[in-house]
């Protein structure tokens, strides 16, 4: 027998009992389905067994680690369904590329017709496996044996990934004779994957899954054609450069090709910024450039670089920060916890902003506000502005794409830009890298450097930041005139050397420890790259330091 401590109470159980069996007894106490457990502070899958006295904590589909586990399990089940319906080659060569809203795009490169009929076939096979509750098995293979297994299956992307692995063993998952490697945890059996949809999309399919906040409801897939095009363009660039996976990137690092890669991608970003500048200038009536994007997208560096390009085309860019239009602190709305909500539109004096902008558009001289964040009050310091013939305002802020922010301005006078770090590098063909992971690592590094904030504090605030993005930014992204992807294909290898020491500082007893361990495991796939050869105007410099801009 073993003593298992749960919620501070001790319970005697037979050694060898699965954590799934224990979780079933406590499930009525939880709102969401229990997905994984923490045993003595370490995440364990439910099919693992008790092998001694321990303390157990449960995580549901409403928790980060539980939701990620559901997404991962559903993805493997989808590929298994594809394997069974269309053959092993179809699953092997398909690539799990990126997410669009609640959908995960699986590119079959046209090998399987993207039809409703084929989507139904995959979905029906997934449902069959779910109803049969086919188990997921996890086995540790010696590294060389794992590499040989995937080499025999033609999965060279995994072979390259394992080539750089430091440990001597690899955990491989199997369901009904189908083997695959996944970075993270799995649910015990296919029966847990109850909520999903499969729809045909472009050159493949969208696997549509529930959100973390509502894990038992599959909402209709929301189209984001501009975002999809931007993501697919970045993937195509990676394919052309020969870098689609972390293994490919590590090969480049070992081959001494990083200097060229950095120069080429920085030039590619500069070309795209130049194209946006030309498009702006070609629209004669544009006087307001509205820039918005989620946290750690590199908005400030992008604004500087865009301004330089505009100057080469004869324009005089004038920066305006929407933060200066905050209402006074006592007027700031509060959230459900009673804290100030600085991210909602009501925290901005929208009327004053529109009044000022209309006066500037009419050629009037306007005294611009300056917000004193320490005092929480708007101030006027004699900062007057009047637009000249070639002046153009570059306005950066969270609500830049929201029509309610600039309701009074003529539509033809505005040019909206959505910017985000849309990571398109994959760990391997079946393990995508969420764009939020890249942005979180950027923010951890920057917060430590510029604000003295710990990685623990940044992770602690991240869910709140993400909620603000989903409410105030993402709903308006498709209304942008241009989208800019600020992610650099090599940046995670560069951020690794800065982020790892910060993540290791998070103590084991902290709630943020689990996320820190996940990120450390993720970074372990990359070889580190020094930042010395990074150009001083690189967007990545906004996070690692050394930028020529005031960021």
């Amino acid at each position: 027998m073993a003593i298992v401590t749960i919620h501070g109470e001790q319970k005697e159980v037979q050694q060898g009992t699965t954590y799934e069996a224990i979780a079933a007894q406590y499930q009525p106490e939880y709102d969401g389905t229990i997905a994984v457990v923490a045993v003595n502070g370490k995440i364990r899958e439910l099919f693992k067994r008790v092998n001694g006295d321990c303390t157990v904590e449960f995580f549901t589909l409403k928790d980060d680690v539980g939701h990620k586990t559901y997404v991962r399990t559903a993805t493997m089940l989808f590929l298994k369904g594809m394997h069974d319906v269309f053959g092993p080659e179809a699953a092997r060569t398909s690539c799990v590329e990126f997410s669009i809203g609640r959908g995960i795009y699986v590119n079959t490169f046209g090998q399987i017709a993207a039809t409703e009929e084929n989507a139904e076939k995959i979905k029906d096979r997934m449902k069959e496996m779910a109803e049969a509750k086919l188990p997921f098995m996890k086995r540790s293979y010696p590294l060389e044996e794992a590499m040989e297994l995937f080499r025999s299956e033609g999965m060279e992307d995994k072979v390259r990934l394992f080539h750089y692995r430091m440990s001597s063993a690899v955990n491989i998952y199997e369901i009904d004779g189908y083997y695959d490697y996944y970075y993270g945890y799995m649910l015990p059996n296919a029966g847990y994957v109850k909520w999903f949809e499969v729809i045909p999309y472009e050159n493949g399919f969208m696997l549509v899954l529930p959100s973390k906040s509502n894990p038992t409801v599959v909402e209709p897939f929301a189209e984001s054609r501009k975002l999809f095009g931007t993501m697919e363009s970045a993937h195509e660039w990676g394919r052309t450069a020969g870098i689609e996976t972390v293994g490919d990137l590590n090969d480049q690092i070992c081959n001494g090709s990083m200097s060229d890669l950095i120069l080429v991608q920085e030039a590619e970003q500069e070309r795209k910024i130049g194209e946006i500048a030309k498009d702006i200038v070609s629209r004669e009536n544009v006087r307001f450039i509205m820039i918005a994007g989620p946290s750690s997208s590199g908005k400030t560096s992008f604004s500087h670089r865009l301004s330089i390009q505009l100057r080469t085309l004869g324009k005089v860019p004038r920066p305006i920060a929407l933060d200066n239009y905050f209402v006074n602190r006592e007027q700031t709305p509060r959230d459900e916890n009673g804290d100030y909500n600085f991210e909602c539109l009501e925290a901005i004096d929208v009327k004053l902003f529109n009044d000022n902008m209309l006066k500037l558009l009419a050629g009037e001289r306007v005294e611009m506000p300056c917000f004193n964040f320490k005092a929480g009050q708007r101030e006027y310091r004699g900062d007057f502005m009047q637009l000249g013939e070639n002046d153009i305002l570059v306005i950066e802020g969270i609500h830049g794409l929201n029509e309610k922010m600039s309701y009074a301005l003529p539509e033809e006078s505005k040019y909206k830009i959505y910017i985000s770090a849309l990571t398109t590098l994959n760990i391997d063909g079946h393990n995508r890298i969420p764009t939020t992971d890249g942005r979180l690592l950027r923010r951890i590094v920057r917060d430590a450097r510029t604000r003295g904030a710990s990685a623990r504090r940044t992770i602690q605030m991240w869910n709140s930041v993400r909620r603000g993005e989903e409410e105030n930014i993402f709903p308006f992204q498709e209304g942008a005139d241009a989208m800019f992807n600020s992610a650099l294909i090599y940046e995670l290898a560069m951020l690794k050397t800065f982020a790892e020491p910060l993540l290791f500082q998070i103590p084991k007893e902290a709630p943020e420890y689990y996320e820190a361990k996940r990120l450390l495991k993720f970074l372990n796939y990359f070889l580190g790259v020094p930042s010395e050869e990074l150009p001083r105007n690189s967007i990545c410099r906004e996070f690692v330091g050394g930028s020529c801009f005031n960021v």
Side-chain angles (χ1 to χ4, degrees):
M1 303 298 290
I3 302 298
V4 178
T5 303
I6 303 171
H7 304 329
E9 297 179 359
Q10 293 186 337
K11 181 182 181 70
E12 194 174 51
V13 302
Q14 185 75 40
Q15 292 214 36
T17 302
T18 65
Y19 293 108
E20 183 181 20
I22 298 173
Q25 299 174 41
Y26 288 86
Q27 182 61 68
E29 300 178 21
Y30 289 82
D31 185 26
T33 302
I34 295 173
V36 292
V37 296
V39 181
N40 295 332
K42 188 170 183 178
I43 300 295
R44 288 279 185 259
E45 285 145 320
L46 292 178
F47 50 65
K48 293 286 187 178
R49 299 176 181 274
V50 176
N51 62 3
D53 295 351
C54 59
T55 299
V56 169
E57 182 182 0
F58 299 114
F59 292 94
T60 76
L61 298 181
K62 290 191 171 185
D63 296 307
D64 276 341
V65 64
H67 183 253
K68 286 182 172 72
T69 301
Y70 186 88
V71 171
R72 193 177 301 113
T73 308
T75 302
M76 184 170 179
L77 195 66
F78 173 91
L79 290 165
K80 163 64 173 167
M82 185 177 284
H83 172 281
D84 290 357
V85 174
F86 299 107
E89 185 72 4
R92 180 184 70 79
T93 56
S94 293
C95 183
V96 181
E97 290 196 343
F98 47 78
S99 66
I100 298 288
R102 303 300 175 205
I104 297 172
Y105 178 58
V106 182
N107 193 344
T108 66
F109 303 99
Q111 294 179 89
I112 303 166
T115 63
E116 293 281 356
E117 181 184 1
N118 285 339
E120 282 296 319
K121 287 179 180 178
I122 298 170
K123 186 167 74 170
D124 288 346
R125 179 58 186 142
M126 292 175 69
K127 286 182 176 179
E128 286 176 4
M129 292 185 285
E131 288 168 6
K133 297 184 178 180
L134 292 183
F136 286 93
M137 311 296 289
K138 182 179 184 180
R139 180 184 159 194
S140 180
Y141 285 74
L143 184 61
E144 290 298 326
E145 191 177 329
M147 292 173 72
E148 187 53 43
L149 171 66
F150 287 117
R151 188 177 287 114
S152 67
E153 295 289 332
M155 296 184 178
E156 289 297 326
D157 54 334
K158 297 184 192 296
V159 176
R160 281 192 297 277
L161 182 71
F162 296 157
H163 176 73
Y164 297 98
R165 192 175 177 89
M166 298 298 290
S167 60
S168 59
V170 176
N171 290 323
I172 295 176
Y173 291 97
E174 181 257 328
I175 177 172
D176 190 32
Y178 173 73
Y179 295 84
D180 211 341
Y181 172 75
Y182 283 89
Y183 140 64
Y185 309 99
M186 284 285 172
L187 294 167
N189 64 67
Y192 281 73
V193 184
K194 300 174 183 177
W195 307 282
F196 62 89
E197 185 58 79
V198 179
I199 60 174
Y201 202 85
E202 291 291 321
N203 288 322
F205 302 92
M206 279 285 180
L207 173 61
V208 187
L209 301 172
S211 65
K212 181 179 71 174
S213 59
N214 202 358
T216 61
V217 175
V218 182
E219 297 176 1
F221 178 68
E223 286 279 12
S224 296
R225 284 289 171 180
K226 288 181 182 177
L227 182 62
F228 180 88
T230 303
M231 297 285 279
E232 191 63 355
S233 173
H235 259 284
E236 189 57 41
W237 190 90
R239 281 191 280 269
T240 302
I243 304 176
E244 299 180 66
T245 67
V246 174
D248 295 333
L249 178 62
N250 287 339
D251 283 348
Q252 289 264 4
I253 295 169
C254 288
N255 293 338
S257 308
M258 284 306 297
S259 296
D260 285 346
L261 179 62
I262 289 171
L263 290 172
V264 169
Q265 181 148 44
E266 292 289 347
E268 168 71 0
Q269 284 202 341
E270 195 63 35
R271 180 183 68 80
K272 290 187 174 179
I273 295 171
E275 287 176 353
I276 292 172
K278 286 179 182 177
D279 190 35
I280 292 169
V281 173
S282 72
R283 306 186 189 191
E284 295 180 0
N285 294 319
V286 170
R287 303 304 296 273
F288 306 100
I289 302 171
M290 319 287 287
I291 301 172
S295 174
S296 304
S297 293
K299 294 183 288 292
T300 306
S301 294
F302 171 80
S303 299
H304 283 296
R305 288 173 66 171
L306 178 64
S307 294
I308 290 169
Q309 289 286 346
L310 289 167
R311 286 167 63 187
T312 70
L313 298 171
K315 292 295 182 181
V316 181
R318 308 278 294 274
I320 289 183
L322 284 179
D323 286 1
N324 283 327
Y325 284 90
F326 272 126
V327 298
N328 291 334
R329 189 64 42 83
E330 64 270 14
Q331 298 171 290
T332 304
R334 294 179 183 268
D335 62 20
E336 65 276 8
N337 300 318
D339 299 321
Y340 288 117
N341 185 354
F342 297 110
E343 296 185 335
C344 67
L345 186 64
E346 292 72 24
I348 302 285
D349 192 334
V350 175
K351 184 178 184 306
L352 177 65
F353 171 78
N354 281 272
D355 289 347
N356 284 177
M357 296 306 108
L358 283 174
K359 288 178 180 177
L360 289 170
L361 191 60
E364 297 181 33
R365 187 168 180 257
V366 177
E367 185 175 10
M368 305 301 288
C370 180
F371 194 80
N372 184 329
F373 284 90
K374 191 171 183 180
Q377 299 291 314
R378 184 189 306 137
E379 298 175 349
Y380 289 91
R381 302 173 182 176
D383 178 17
F384 287 90
M385 182 180 288
Q386 188 171 17
L387 293 187
E389 182 182 352
N390 292 315
D391 286 1
I392 192 165
L393 296 176
V394 181
I395 302 167
E396 177 198 329
I398 186 174
H399 300 289
L401 303 183
N402 187 344
E403 272 301 308
K404 292 180 180 178
M405 183 68 233
S406 55
Y407 66 88
L409 304 182
E411 194 61 33
E412 65 274 11
S413 71
K414 296 180 284 188
Y415 189 97
K416 298 177 182 177
I417 302 173
Y418 174 73
I419 173 175
S420 187
L422 304 169
T423 307
T424 53
L425 186 72
N426 281 20
I427 293 175
D428 60 38
H430 295 167
N431 286 269
R432 68 184 184 90
I433 298 174
T435 59
T436 50
D437 281 358
R439 291 195 293 110
L440 175 55
L441 287 166
R442 279 181 169 189
R443 181 152 177 164
I444 286 170
V445 172
R446 185 187 62 191
D447 283 2
R449 181 179 63 82
T450 64
R451 302 174 185 176
S454 66
R456 178 181 179 182
R457 176 61 177 162
T458 301
I459 292 172
Q460 188 180 67
M461 296 293 294
W462 190 240
N463 278 336
S464 174
V465 170
R466 294 276 293 124
R467 279 196 301 274
E469 294 168 353
E470 291 186 0
E471 291 172 11
N472 302 306
I473 298 176
F474 298 148
F476 309 105
Q477 62 192 16
E478 286 294 302
D481 296 289
M483 283 192 176
F484 181 77
N485 182 6
S486 69
L488 297 154
I489 206 163
Y490 53 80
E491 72 173 68
L492 291 168
M494 197 168 286
L495 290 170
K496 169 189 173 86
T497 57
F498 294 89
E500 282 182 334
L502 302 171
L503 291 166
F504 275 118
Q505 293 175 24
I506 297 179
K508 190 173 182 178
E509 61 273 13
E512 297 75 23
Y513 174 78
Y514 300 112
E515 181 68 350
K517 290 294 287 183
R518 185 186 72 82
L519 290 170
L520 284 167
K521 182 182 177 183
F522 165 62
L523 289 171
N524 200 38
Y525 290 110
F526 294 83
L527 297 179
V529 172
S531 61
E532 280 75 14
E533 294 190 52
L534 195 64
R536 291 191 64 215
N537 70 339
S538 173
I539 285 174
C540 198
R541 285 281 182 201
E542 187 171 325
F543 307 97
V544 303
S547 177
C548 60
F549 302 125
N550 182 20
V551 292

